[in-house]
Amino acid sequence: MTDIIQTISSIVTGVAIPVLGIFLFYDAKKREASAKAGKAEADNITQYAAQWQKLYDEKVKHEEELNGKIDALYVQLNEQRDELARLKKEMAELVVKQQYAESQKCTVFGCPNRQPPQLLCASSNHPEQ
């Protein structure tokens, strides 16, 4: 009888305890593997987010550079518009002066009095041509 009990106890200790240990620690191993997988996934997501953040920061920097260039071009455009308006005004003044001078010129060569073209020249008494 003791042999049977000893055999049963050796079977229990040889087979049942390791099987029981597998069942008891299976959940812990599963949680450990799940935790490792979750940590790897979190690291991957963090790395992915960091790359997107870097791309976003580069895009924002590039947009700021472009906005600065656009602002500089608007300033330059306004300066050129002001210069163009000034030159047009100056040209209009010169055209008026030229038209006035054209109406005042004497077409008789050698006339010392320089009368306008519609009048007779006082020194030569010639009608203008």
Side-chain angles (χ1 to χ4, degrees):
M1 185 76 164
T2 56
D3 288 336
I4 295 176
I5 293 177
Q6 194 175 16
T7 308
I8 292 175
S9 102
S10 68
I11 289 174
V12 168
T13 57
V15 175
I17 292 180
V19 170
L20 186 61
I22 289 172
F23 286 122
L24 289 176
F25 294 112
Y26 176 75
D27 190 40
K29 287 181 182 179
K30 187 178 179 182
R31 278 185 282 145
E32 181 183 354
S34 177
K36 284 182 181 178
K39 184 180 183 303
E41 185 178 351
D43 290 343
N44 189 22
I45 290 173
T46 303
Q47 184 182 16
Y48 186 69
Q51 289 174 347
W52 275 107
Q53 182 67 39
K54 179 182 174 186
L55 289 173
Y56 174 77
D57 291 342
E58 288 175 3
K59 180 182 178 281
V60 167
K61 181 181 176 185
H62 182 68
E63 285 179 353
E64 288 174 355
E65 290 173 2
L66 290 178
N67 286 338
K69 288 179 182 179
I70 289 171
D71 292 343
L73 289 173
Y74 273 119
V75 167
Q76 185 179 3
L77 180 64
N78 287 334
E79 289 173 356
Q80 289 178 350
R81 284 180 179 163
D82 293 343
E83 179 71 12
L84 181 63
R86 186 188 64 77
L87 290 174
K88 282 183 178 181
K89 181 180 176 184
E90 185 179 326
M91 182 176 162
E93 290 172 357
L94 290 174
V95 165
V96 168
K97 286 181 182 179
Q98 189 261 340
Q99 287 175 348
Y100 176 76
E102 191 70 32
S103 70
Q104 297 298 317
K105 78 175 181 180
C106 181
T107 55
V108 176
F109 294 111
C111 179
N113 294 328
R114 303 299 290 171
Q115 297 294 322
Q118 290 82 14
L119 302 176
L120 292 175
C121 184
S123 65
S124 62
N125 292 327
H126 296 290
E128 294 192 337
Q129 303 170 5

